Amino acid sequence: MAGVRFENVGKIYYDKEKKTEVAAVRNFDLAIQDKEFVVFVGPSGCGKTTSLRMIAGLEEITSGKLYIGEQIVNDVLPKDRDIAMVFQNYALYPHLTVRENMGFSLKLRGIPKAEIAQKVLHVAGILRLNDYLDRLPKQLSGGQCQRVAIGRAIIREPRVFLFDEPLSNLDAKMRVDMRVELAKLHKQLNATIVYVTHDQIEAMTLADRIVVMNNGSIQQVGTPLDLYNHPTNAFVGRFIGSPAMNQMKAQVVVEANVVYLVAKDVKIPMNGQKANILRQHANETVLFGIRPHDLIPSREPGNRFALMRLLDVIEPIGNESFAYFSINGEEEKMWVAHCEGASPVAEGEQAAIVVNLENIHVFSLDETLLA
Amino acid sequence: MDKCKRLALSSALYLALFMGAMIVLLPIFWMVITACKQPGKAFEFKFWPKPTVLQGACLPLATVPQDGSAAFTLEYDPALYPKMPFARQVTAAGEFNGWDKTKTPLQFDGQVWRITLTQLKPLKYEYKFVVNDTNWTPDRARDPEGDGNSVIVLQPGENANKVLADQTKLVGNRLQFQINRPQAKILQIRLASQKDVIPLTQDAKGIWCGEAEIKPEDKLEYSIEQPQTFSEAWHELYTLNNFKKIIAAPDFPFGRFFFNSLIVASLSGLLTVILCTMAGYAFAKKDFFLKGTLFMILMSTMMIPGMIFMVPQYAIVTNLDWINTYMGMIVPHLANIFGLFLLRQHISIIPHSLFEAAIIDGASEWQIFRYIVIPQSFPIMVTLFLMTFVSQWGNFLWQLIVNTPDSDCRTLPVGLALFKGQYAQDWEVIMAGSCFSILPIAFLFLIAQRYFIEGMTKGAIKE
Amino acid sequence: MTKGMRENLVSYTFLAPFLLVFVIFLAYPVFYSAWISLHKTTIYTSWYYPFSEMKFAGFENYTSLLLDFELWWSFFLTICYGFLTIPTGIFLSLLLAVLLDNKLKGKSFFRSAFFLPNVLDLFVVGVIWILIFAPEFGLLDILLKKIGLGAESGPVFEKGLLGNAWTCLPAIAVAMVLKGAGFGMILFLTAIQNISQSVYEAADIDGAGWWHKFRHITIPLVKPIILFMVITGTISCLTAFTEVYAMTINTGGPTANPFGHSLRAANLLGYHLYRNFQDAYYGKAAALSFIILAFASLISWINIRIIQPRRK
């Protein structure tokens, strides 16, 4: 087992059609610890898969250094990096049985047949694939295929496991099951895992640490809760958490020594530490965000700060409900509020939406965190 | 009513298709039928044997010479051949029953080389003259336009021969005969010089016997009435001997030619597939210097008709000393650009991740080729193999020009085209040889037509 | 070694065998052929290595070919042969494809039967056709006599179809069309079956009859196949050799007398090329190759213009 370290790694593609150079990954600095489960997450085209493939050696590194363990692997061939990879579309060899698929890499290494057979049985046991060993990939379901692909990876006992969106080809239920299974597997294998996904729930549930990427660069690295509670920029705020964070532009206004965020008829008073910081940005336009969980629709706001709004749509999930309302009368700009259990206010009625002022995130217009 | 109409329509359709198929396949049927016919029956419009009752026939028999069998004089007149006036020795070559060339050589009487062969059974014979043991010489007297192979037919035909040949015997001036036709109902024999019928008696075994006084140069006539069995009639029309003849023909190394065809076609197929798969893999999945340019060059070469390359390819093969070799026949056609595109097309749809998985699993380039590319494109490789096999099996023009007429590497069609020898005039035998060229391919097509059709349509639909 | 260099090395290793053969036997010959076409063999040329001692002749080979009536006769014959084979071939294949485009039982049998002649050895098939076309005793003559054509005795066709200057080329054309029809049929069948059934159903609803559907849906959609067949047909006509060699027993057919020249009635361009080659006029043969290539390009270009005028 070993860690992986990126030192200012960059990747530049040459786009043949447009005849320009495109930077897929920029200034990538990251140290992944041994036995850590790190998830790269971001929208498509953000460079997360490219970064993973650079670890695998499938993409050349344009600049910077990449270490696996203590070794610089920029010019090391994939087969000599001692890594294993699980692909989005499984990439099982269609003409080989499950048994042969899993044993393929060992066979290439010239390991004796008896030993291969024994290892295959062992791994098949872990992944509950014993009954399918002599089937061909086309005779398996998607989940089984993905288990075979994982088996193919773990049989090698590599230093680092790479997962490239392994669950995105599965249906919703299977995805949840496999997610749990992966989490279990990580504990069992106790291995370094780098995992790429665009699904932030997968990222939140699986990761020790999450790397949020956008436009080829790292936005924030941290534990799942860290990212949720303390996004360092507006993008991370929007990307992490479901439903997404409500965001809006507003003017910082200081009236009678109180700091307000003002956007049309919304006027939110700020207090505490955040107010002090914002005071220095008086009369500037900023971006602020509130998570749905910090907006609670109620009948009686009491002395808490609340917005009075008409609830357009209520989505009852069962144990919780989401309420949608338009802020500032703009139809397309819907905000989401959240409450436990059923909503106390019915659809189409006026509600007092209590704002948890402590958890308002304020960003500058270039999306960096202000307060 | 509607049902009736539909039934009539589909019957008409079947009929039309059936007729069409018959017409299209006509050459094959005709070839097989001709190949199975008895010698000389190629042009008879008879396909189903009809057991006939031979009746009232009055056929002339062979001229009966004094010794009781047919005779023929072979003559060779050197004066007719100004090219070889000084020939010191002339021999005849050919196939005559019981004639030993060494014991009875030709006699030269100062003008003509001559030999008279007696005791010949009435049959078809072929012969040639050999001057100084090296050159065939045509018998211009008999065959002014011919190629050296002279044919004589001694009457009567085969059938009468069966009846009479072995059983006629001259004792003094009396001709005794036994006729082994137990089924014959009425059998009459008379000599041309006599009006009376020779009385015949049938013995216990069913053999007809009789005898008559005979003068020299007399003729024997007979009439017969006898039902023929189906099997007799069948064998009168059909035989498999033509196949035996072509295989065993002394001046036509059939086995060698067939083997050559097989070697050329299968080696071409195999090597083409290997080359095209390797190159196709590079074009489909690799990125390399000048890839686009190279692709364009190959593409434009595909548009040029193959015949344009005939002269320079021949020149190169000549300069390489590859005339009359397998190399000369096989190598120039290995760069099959159509095959390259077929494979490239096919390999490029193999998911890229499969190759990456193999790279991560530690496969070397060669192992990727061996364990991913080949198994994944195997069906299309089979298609290309079969297409190359078939086209090289019939690549007549090229095989014709890289082989001199005496080459050991002639393929079967070239061998047949340059077929000179004993059976050159026998269509039945030539067709038997043709069968060996046509039927293996037809069989191959029928068992693997899926691959053929796939390959041919892929090439065209892509355009 | 960088990844790019490695990739280049690996790619060219895989390409090497193919490229080697390609360069020696396809690329180089184009230039070599041009060289040969500017030279001629002389009486001093070695019999065994004729190409090493050729004499420079300039454009003599080209001028002598182009000024010779025989070339233009061959060209004319080739055009005739093209008009005899290509339209009939397309018509016949399309007809067969339409007949087979239904849920007929035994359809695959007919498909195989029609396609089978395609894969067979052209030379041998040609020889069999000699047998069929033979005068008096050939199958064709006998069949015609059976249905009461021709005189009581003697051949229906004097000297047989292949022995008559007027019928020789059409007879070859018939044999070749019957041999090649299955190929076109498969192409058309594949194309027709690729046409979505819903297009026809829509036409049914619009009240289109069988002919309308064929004319306005099937034909336009199989037009690329027609173009393909015309172009490949043109090229195979321009290089037709084996069928002439086989069916005229390497004579080029009976003698015809156009404009007082005594020429052969089936002396197509491809065969003409072979004859020059056979007589060791290698320079002329090479020059003729280029002339044929020019004809081929010209005719293909015209075909594309006629069939797909708006294509750019």
Side-chain angles (χ1 to χ4, degrees), chain A residues 37 39-40 49 52 85-91 142-143 145-147 149-150 162-171 174-175 178-179 182 193-199 202 206:
Chain A
F37 195 132
V39 176
F40 292 178
T49 297
L52 186 81
M85 185 158 169
V86 176
F87 292 84
Q88 176 176 4
N89 60 358
Y90 327 131
C145 279
Q146 199 51 280
R147 287 218 296 275
I150 293 167
L162 307 174
F163 287 83
D164 185 8
E165 310 212 14
L167 306 185
S168 55
N169 275 18
L170 301 178
D171 62 49
M174 186 64 82
R175 207 177 302 172
M178 281 302 288
R179 211 165 68 200
L182 274 176
I193 294 182
V194 184
Y195 187 108
V196 161
T197 180
H198 60 267
D199 179 354
E202 256 171 53
L206 285 171

Side-chain angles (χ1 to χ4, degrees), chain A residues 16-32:
Chain A
K16 276 181 184 164
E17 279 165 24
K18 291 177 190 159
K19 309 226 167 182
T20 51
E21 291 190 335
V22 183
V25 175
R26 277 177 293 218
N27 307 337
F28 200 93
D29 267 310
L30 178 71
I32 297 166

Side-chain angles (χ1 to χ4, degrees), chain B residues 13-14 24 27 43 45 287-289 307-309 313 319 321 390 396-397 400 413 417 434 437 441 445 449 457, chain C residues 7-8 12 25-26 32 48-49 99 105 112 115 117 119 121 123-124 128 137 142 186 241 245 270 274 289:
Chain B
L13 188 60
Y14 269 115
V24 167
F43 290 112
F45 195 70
D287 197 14
F288 52 87
F289 181 60
M307 202 181 203
I308 306 304
F309 298 106
Q313 280 180 346
N319 293 339
D321 250 336
V390 165
F396 179 72
L397 172 58
L400 181 71
S434 303
S437 177
I441 298 292
F445 169 74
Q449 56 172 311
T457 48
Chain C
E7 186 95 343
N8 273 329
Y12 276 102
F25 288 102
L26 287 174
Y32 193 22
Y48 294 102
Y49 299 100
L99 288 183
K105 260 189 192 156
S112 316
F115 192 68
V119 297
D121 181 351
F123 171 76
V124 173
I128 301 169
F137 302 111
I142 294 170
I186 291 288
F241 160 74
Y245 182 96
Y274 172 76
S289 308

